[in-house]
Amino acid sequence: EGGGASSDKLREGDKVEAKYRGREKYYPGKIDRERSDGTYDIAYDDGERETRVEARLIRKKDRSRSRSPSPKHGRKLREGAKVEARYRGRSKFYPGKISRDRGDGTFD
């Protein structure tokens, strides 16, 4: 069963809008994790988080409205890379360095 064009595929890090808890309104956020069961974890811009969101409840944000292009687009995260990350899902980003690739899309 085919989906949309490959450019429409949702990926980790994509800026998206999702229907929080399946409600009617879309809220801005980012795909925090792509799960093997076809669902996604969303980190919303307001600091809320949601796990296992079905793709039908998510739409990609219009890239032309993005206020800052992602740096070094297309580069994979790897051990030793300097990054900015949200500590425990909070809204503030902190500088850090990847010390371990867990192999499941998560990093220490």
Side-chain angles (χ1 to χ4, degrees):
E1 198 168 345
S6 62
S7 64
D8 292 335
K9 181 171 174 17
L10 298 169
R11 301 184 190 283
E12 270 181 41
D14 280 353
K15 290 187 179 293
V16 296
E17 293 177 321
K19 291 184 174 184
Y20 181 70
R21 299 197 181 200
R23 296 182 180 141
E24 290 301 309
K25 186 177 175 188
Y26 283 91
Y27 294 90
K30 183 180 95 168
I31 294 180
D32 207 30
R33 179 176 177 191
E34 181 178 354
R35 294 184 174 263
S36 59
D37 65 359
T39 63
Y40 301 87
D41 292 0
I42 307 293
Y44 291 98
D45 291 356
D46 66 1
E48 288 289 325
R49 302 180 66 75
E50 189 174 19
T51 58
R52 300 195 182 278
V53 179
E54 295 177 40
R56 66 182 179 82
L57 300 174
I58 305 169
R59 65 184 181 198
K60 274 193 174 184
K61 250 184 149 173
D62 181 2
R63 286 184 178 252
S64 65
R65 291 189 338 205
S66 177
R67 51 179 186 216
S68 62
S70 58
K72 300 176 179 111
H73 182 68
R75 280 190 39 184
K76 291 250 182 206
L77 295 174
R78 55 179 63 132
E79 289 179 19
K82 289 183 179 181
V83 295
E84 287 189 341
R86 294 185 346 187
Y87 177 69
R88 296 196 175 175
R90 296 187 176 122
S91 57
K92 185 176 177 185
F93 283 81
Y94 296 89
K97 189 165 150 184
I98 296 175
S99 61
R100 178 177 167 202
D101 181 347
R102 294 180 169 262
D104 63 357
T106 63
F107 303 86
D108 294 340

